[in-house]
């Protein structure tokens, strides 16, 4: 197996929203904000390649919404998935599977593309099976008022209409080297991929732990719908991860692509912060 980090650009979100009850005087030491209290976050996907499988995890923010919408998020260094994949030697048509950790717009935006006339939607990956949890699908189609603004049906309904969508209902071994586990604190049915790679396990963190700065237990984002569930899930995961020497791969950390962990007197903390390529060189 080979793993490729696929970068599709950056966006900005309010620092207070991203660090919850933790005071700015503490979090800004490790994750700086601009003059408007906005922090820069990455839109980083991961491609796993083995045998005849080309498995992409998450799809960035896409370009289907209008200028007014994107203005709120201060996009920078944007790159289409087509361009990002081509840089690694792959095409859209070569992707066999797409794992959508959840259906918030910054995770599945480019799962579906719009034509040049902006009149028709179609799956970006014509030959791929798209995987999402059943509970997340049900929520996205009947969202609560808190999450409603994060779901756009044009990002996922065409997947069902084109018969390219399959559902995960429980923790699942998707392939011998990829396990999908369900976490519910951030949103119902978030899928977290655990990937066996070079005698270790790489975990795609999605919004379970968006960045290395979120590893301390109280650092839970305000977007989480069940923060106490998030706390329990994160504590359990971190204990497992440090015990088994997992490598954490961050979707949203602008500064750090991955890390491993160490137990300290203050709790579990990042040990080595680097890119995926540097870690496995």
């Amino acid at each position: 197996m080979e793993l490729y980090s696929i970068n599709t650009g950056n966006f900005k979100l309010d620092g207070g929203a991203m660090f919850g009850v933790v005071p700015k005087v503490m979090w800004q030491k490790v994750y700086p904000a601009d003059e408007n209290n906005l922090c820069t976050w990455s839109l980083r996907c991961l491609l796993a390649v083995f045998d005849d499988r080309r498995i992409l995890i998450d799809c960035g923010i896409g370009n289907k919404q209008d200028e007014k919408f994107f203005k709120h998020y201060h996009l920078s260094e944007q790159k289409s998935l087509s361009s990002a994949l081509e840089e690694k030697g792959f095409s859209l048509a070569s992707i066999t599977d797409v794992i959508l950790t959840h259906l918030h717009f910054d995770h599945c935006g480019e799962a579906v593309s719009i034509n040049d006339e902006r009149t028709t939607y179609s799956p970006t990956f014509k030959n791929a099976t798209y995987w999402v949890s059943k509970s997340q699908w049900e929520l996205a189609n009947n969202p609560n008022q808190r999450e409603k603004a994060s779901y756009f049906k044009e990002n996922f309904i065409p997947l069902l209409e084109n018969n390219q969508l399959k559902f995960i209902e429980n923790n699942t071994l998707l392939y011998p080297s990829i396990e999908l586990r369900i976490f519910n604190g951030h949103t119902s049915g978030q899928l977290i991929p655990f990937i066996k790679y070079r005698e270790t396990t790489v975990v795609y963190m999605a919004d379970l732990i968006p960045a290395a700065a979120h590893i301390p237990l109280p650092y839970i984002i305000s977007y989480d719908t069940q923060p106490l569930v998030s706390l329990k899930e994160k504590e359990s995961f971190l204990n497992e991860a440090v015990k088994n020497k997992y490598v954490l791969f961050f979707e949203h950390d602008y500064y750090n692509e991955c890390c491993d962990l160490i137990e300290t007197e203050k709790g579990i903390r990042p040990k080595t912060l680097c890119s995926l390529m540097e870690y496995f060189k």
Side-chain angles (χ1 to χ4, degrees):
M1 175 188 285
E2 292 299 331
L3 294 178
Y4 300 89
S5 177
I6 306 295
N7 293 292
T8 65
N10 311 305
F11 68 140
K12 290 189 175 186
L13 293 172
D14 182 81
M18 286 299 287
F19 289 101
V21 299
V22 179
K24 182 179 179 180
V25 69
M26 296 177 66
W27 60 253
Q28 70 176 351
K29 295 176 181 178
V30 292
Y31 214 102
D34 66 16
E35 65 277 7
N36 295 313
N37 206 49
L38 297 173
C39 299
T40 300
W41 306 92
S42 73
L43 295 160
R44 185 181 295 117
C45 310
L46 185 65
L47 178 66
V49 177
F50 60 94
D51 299 332
D52 61 343
R53 314 313 298 176
R54 308 286 183 269
I55 302 173
L56 182 67
I57 306 173
D58 276 354
C59 294
I61 204 166
N63 65 354
K64 294 191 297 300
Q65 280 64 55
D66 59 26
E67 183 178 350
K68 180 180 179 181
F69 172 81
F70 286 120
K71 187 176 181 180
H72 294 301
Y73 297 100
H74 306 273
L75 304 184
S76 62
E77 301 180 60
Q78 292 306 107
K79 186 182 298 181
S80 70
L81 275 172
S82 177
S83 297
L85 288 168
E86 285 177 3
E87 289 179 358
K88 307 295 184 181
F90 302 95
S91 66
L92 298 180
S94 71
I95 302 301
T96 61
D97 302 80
V98 177
I99 298 168
L100 299 174
T101 61
H102 56 298
L103 297 174
H104 290 170
F105 66 86
D106 56 314
H107 294 258
C108 69
E110 208 169 343
V112 171
S113 298
I114 192 169
N115 65 352
D116 292 340
E117 294 75 26
R118 303 189 70 80
T119 57
T120 304
Y121 302 108
S122 60
T124 301
F125 304 95
K126 308 296 184 183
N127 301 315
T129 297
Y130 289 77
W131 302 90
V132 69
S133 79
K134 185 69 176 296
S135 56
Q136 176 63 189
W137 177 261
E138 291 172 348
L139 174 60
N141 282 277
N142 298 280
N144 58 62
Q145 289 300 313
R146 178 161 181 174
E147 290 182 86
K148 188 174 182 179
S150 293
Y151 294 118
F152 300 101
K153 291 191 175 181
E154 60 269 27
N155 281 340
F156 47 84
I157 292 297
L159 307 178
L160 183 67
E161 293 174 340
N162 284 271
N163 299 312
Q164 290 182 239
L165 190 64
K166 289 189 177 181
F167 297 116
I168 301 293
E169 298 192 39
N170 302 291
N171 292 347
T172 298
L173 190 64
L174 187 63
Y175 294 106
S177 56
I178 298 181
E179 180 187 7
L180 302 180
R181 296 192 197 173
I182 293 176
F183 291 77
N184 295 302
H186 175 62
T187 185
S188 179
Q190 179 178 209
L191 293 177
I192 299 297
F194 289 63
I195 305 165
K196 293 182 181 178
Y197 180 65
R198 297 192 185 182
E199 300 182 349
T200 189
T201 296
V202 175
V203 186
Y204 186 86
M205 297 312 307
D207 283 340
L208 175 61
I209 301 177
H214 291 96
I215 287 174
L217 290 178
Y219 286 61
I220 293 173
I221 62 178
S222 294
Y223 299 109
D224 285 10
T225 59
Q226 299 185 83
L228 293 181
V229 173
S230 292
L231 179 63
K232 185 177 180 180
E233 289 176 337
K234 184 164 77 167
E235 183 174 22
S236 176
F237 168 76
L238 287 173
N239 286 331
E240 177 184 345
V242 73
K243 177 182 177 180
N244 293 297
K245 299 181 180 180
Y246 292 166
V247 175
L248 281 55
F249 183 91
F250 301 111
E251 182 165 12
H252 287 316
D253 194 329
Y254 178 71
Y255 302 99
N256 306 290
E257 193 167 274
C258 70
C259 78
D260 54 7
L261 301 168
I262 189 171
E263 184 80 59
T264 75
E265 60 182 16
K266 293 183 177 181
I268 296 171
R269 295 292 186 268
K271 180 182 178 183
T272 305
L273 292 161
C274 59
S275 71
L276 191 66
M277 182 178 295
E278 290 171 335
Y279 191 89
F280 287 103
K281 65 182 179 181

